[in-house]
Amino acid sequence: MEQHRSSPPRRPRRPRPQAPAAPRGAIVEGPAAYPARPRPAAPPGARPGGRRTVPPVVHALRRLPNPRLTGIGGGLFASATMLLVGCLDWLLFDGSPLVYGLLFLPVSAVTALWVRGPDLVTAPISVPIAFAVGVVPIAGGEGGIGGHTMAVITALAVHAGWLYGGTLVAGVITSVRKVRLMGRRQRAAAQAQAQAQAQAHSQGRATAAPRRR
């Protein structure tokens, strides 16, 4: 007679213990959960991404016009501006040399800032010419062309301090711009050389790989 095999009774599976739910903001690593550390407060004036905000003065300077004048354009700009300053000084302040000299300094600085890089040398040369052009209305003089010419020469000799000051301002600004321009060119040349070396190295590896095979 055939005997029916009876299968052994199966034991019920015990439920596995579940790990407790991690609280909000916790960092879970494996079976354990660690509470997240609070991030340090950002310093005042910093953006949420970690970048520092630019001061408002820098924003205001960036919004100013930043043209690039040639050497001739910078000379014409300085001469026309100083001629206008001289005429206004003659009309409003009766030809005050103090007002004219004080306004000559910012004009010299702006001229040196707006001249393009290749023509930086022309800024300290254009500024004294502009000073001589603008001093004509306030120089005075009588007796025709000769008298006015002597008056202009006398005004230039008397107010040579303002002339040297404006020329010095233009020279310092152009020197700083020249140094920065040379630094940028050197960095660009170094980056181009590094990229060329990296490209040559990668090409050498690519050509050497099939030979080994």
Side-chain angles (χ1 to χ4, degrees):
M1 296 179 63
E2 295 181 357
Q3 297 181 357
H4 297 280
R5 298 179 181 179
S6 60
S7 59
R10 297 181 178 179
R11 297 179 181 180
R13 296 182 179 180
R14 296 179 180 180
R16 296 181 180 180
Q18 298 180 356
R24 293 184 178 180
I27 301 174
V28 181
E29 296 182 358
Y34 303 94
R37 296 181 180 178
R39 296 182 178 180
R47 294 181 180 179
R51 300 178 180 178
R52 294 183 179 179
T53 56
V54 182
V57 179
V58 179
H59 279 297
L61 291 177
R62 289 179 178 177
R63 292 175 183 176
L64 293 176
N66 189 21
R68 283 292 174 256
L69 303 175
T70 61
I72 299 176
L76 292 176
F77 165 77
S79 299
T81 305
M82 290 311 302
L83 182 60
L84 179 62
V85 168
C87 293
L88 292 177
D89 186 16
W90 176 64
L91 291 174
L92 301 178
F93 301 99
D94 197 16
S96 173
L98 179 61
V99 175
Y100 182 80
L102 289 176
L103 293 177
F104 173 65
L105 299 179
V107 171
S108 303
V110 171
T111 303
L113 288 172
W114 285 359
V115 174
R116 63 180 187 177
D119 298 331
L120 285 175
V121 185
T122 61
I125 302 173
S126 304
V127 166
I129 300 174
F131 185 88
V133 171
V135 85
V136 173
I138 64 174
E142 296 177 357
I145 298 177
H148 286 286
T149 304
M150 291 302 298
V152 169
I153 295 174
T154 304
L156 292 176
V158 172
H159 309 304
W162 295 110
L163 176 61
Y164 294 150
T167 307
L168 180 62
V169 169
V172 170
I173 294 177
T174 51
S175 299
V176 173
R177 288 189 57 193
K178 187 66 175 179
V179 171
R180 294 183 61 183
L181 183 61
M182 292 174 62
R184 290 177 183 175
R185 289 177 179 176
Q186 290 179 358
R187 287 193 296 268
Q191 290 178 0
Q193 186 177 2
Q195 291 178 358
Q197 291 179 356
Q199 187 176 3
H201 187 63
S202 60
Q203 289 180 357
R205 284 186 175 181
T207 54
R211 295 179 182 178
R212 292 179 182 179
R213 294 179 182 175

